[in-house]
């Protein structure tokens, strides 16, 4: 399908963006480096926004394809929440990366030296991340409840008229769009409260997690296919 071709191209472009972010001077030492990093972070966020715009448009024509997602691996699909990654995963990633980096620089940080990375989040940043996590959990639960209501309402779908079935699919597409909007909003809000260096580190870590799960899933699917 058309979206699968789009996804393959988009995924390869994501690899290129992550490579550029990984090669950027961190920590940035000059104003030119700061500008370069901010531009790369903005470019990465625009890339994610483009993905969700394309997904929303395609889902209006075939929403069920995004629940089976043939362009993903079986492992990726097993981890999906309403057609994609669970938004609260982003907060777990921030906490994990922050903990790893803090432990690696703990001596310097305790001596008062600031590393400027995710291991050096300020108390204000931690507080805001925690608040956002609570808000996101509530929104996740609301969307999950909406999907549950949709599923309850479709128990008699075989007995409905064709037009009624179309309206049910339209409603499902709107639920998927709400979930995708929360996914994008979560990334955007986190990036906004982080410094450009921290945002770059977060985006690289998120993409590497994506690449790792996908690579593992491809191997598992190959093994299942050859068994």
């Amino acid at each position: 399908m058309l979206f699968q071709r789009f996804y393959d191209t988009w995924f390869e472009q994501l690899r290129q963006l992550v490579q550029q972010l990984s090669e950027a001077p961190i920590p940035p030492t000059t104003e030119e480096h700061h500008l370069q990093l901010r531009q790369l972070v903005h470019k990465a966020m625009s890339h994610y926004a483009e993905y969700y715009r394309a997904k929303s448009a395609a889902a209006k024509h075939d929403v069920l394809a995004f629940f089976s997602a043939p362009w993903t691996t079986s492992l990726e699909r097993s981890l999906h929440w309403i057609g994609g990654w669970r938004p609260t995963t982003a907060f777990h990633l921030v906490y994990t990366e922050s903990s790893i980096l803090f432990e690696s620089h703990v001596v310097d940080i305790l001596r008062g030296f600031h590393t400027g990375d995710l291991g050096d989040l300020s108390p204000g940043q931690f507080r805001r991340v925690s608040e956002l996590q609570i808000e996101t959990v509530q929104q996740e639960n609301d969307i999950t409840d909406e999907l549950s209501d949709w599923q309850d309402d479709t128990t008699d779908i075989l007995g409905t008229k064709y037009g009624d079935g179309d309206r049910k699919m339209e409603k499902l597409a709107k639920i998927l769009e709400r979930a995708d909007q929360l996914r994008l909003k979560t990334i955007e809000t986190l990036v906004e409260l982080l410094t450009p260096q921290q945002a770059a580190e977060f985006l690289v870590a998120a993409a590497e997690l994506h690449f790792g799960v996908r690579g593992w899933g491809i191997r598992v699917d190959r093994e299942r296919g050859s068994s």
Side-chain angles (χ1 to χ4, degrees), residues 125-139:
Q125 285 177 311
F126 268 119
R127 182 175 62 254
R128 186 61 185 133
V129 170
S130 178
E131 292 169 350
L132 286 169
Q133 183 178 15
I134 293 171
E135 294 170 12
T136 304
V137 167
Q138 182 58 59
Q139 292 176 72

Side-chain angles (χ1 to χ4, degrees), residues 10 20 111-113 146 218 226:
W10 180 89
Q20 293 173 34
R111 288 176 177 173
F113 297 107
E146 189 175 355
I218 289 172
S226 61

Side-chain angles (χ1 to χ4, degrees), residues 36-222:
Q36 178 186 0
L37 203 53
R38 285 194 294 268
Q39 289 175 335
L40 285 173
V41 169
H42 177 74
K43 190 175 180 181
M45 294 309 303
S46 296
H47 193 59
Y48 279 112
E50 179 188 8
Y51 169 78
Y52 288 112
R53 281 195 298 269
K55 185 177 179 182
S56 177
K60 288 180 172 63
H61 299 286
D62 185 6
V63 63
L64 294 180
F66 290 90
F67 285 85
S68 60
W71 50 87
T72 61
T73 65
S74 301
L75 177 61
E76 289 173 286
R77 291 192 292 276
S78 74
L79 299 172
H80 278 180
W81 169 81
I82 311 183
W85 55 276
R86 184 177 285 274
T88 44
T89 303
F91 299 100
H92 298 308
L93 186 61
V94 169
Y95 292 135
T96 299
E97 290 297 310
S98 178
S99 177
I100 292 172
L101 289 170
F102 177 82
E103 289 178 4
S104 65
H105 303 309
V106 64
V107 175
D108 290 335
I109 292 174
L110 291 176
R111 288 176 177 173
F113 297 107
H114 291 286
T115 59
D117 57 20
L118 282 173
D120 195 18
L121 292 174
S122 70
Q125 285 177 311
F126 268 119
R127 182 175 62 254
R128 186 61 185 133
V129 170
S130 178
E131 292 169 350
L132 286 169
Q133 183 178 15
I134 293 171
E135 294 170 12
T136 304
V137 167
Q138 182 58 59
Q139 292 176 72
E140 275 187 5
N141 291 339
D142 291 344
I143 299 172
T144 298
D145 289 344
E146 189 175 355
L147 178 62
S148 179
D149 291 341
W150 181 89
Q151 291 170 334
D152 289 341
D153 290 342
T154 55
T155 53
D156 60 345
I157 193 169
L158 294 179
T160 62
K161 296 179 181 179
Y162 182 75
D164 292 337
D166 284 347
R167 282 190 288 274
K168 289 183 185 298
M169 290 301 105
E170 289 173 5
K171 187 174 181 180
L172 182 60
K174 290 179 181 178
I175 295 171
L176 174 64
E177 186 171 15
R178 275 196 68 194
D180 283 340
Q181 288 173 347
L182 182 58
R183 282 184 263 268
L184 181 59
K185 176 187 173 185
T186 299
I187 301 177
E188 290 176 338
T189 308
L190 279 173
V191 166
E192 285 174 5
L193 69 85
L194 298 173
T195 67
Q197 177 184 347
Q198 292 167 343
E201 291 169 343
F202 165 69
L203 290 170
V204 169
E208 288 181 343
L209 176 61
H210 186 176
F211 300 155
V213 170
R214 183 167 180 79
W216 184 17
I218 289 172
R219 289 195 298 274
V220 170
D221 284 348
R222 284 174 179 167

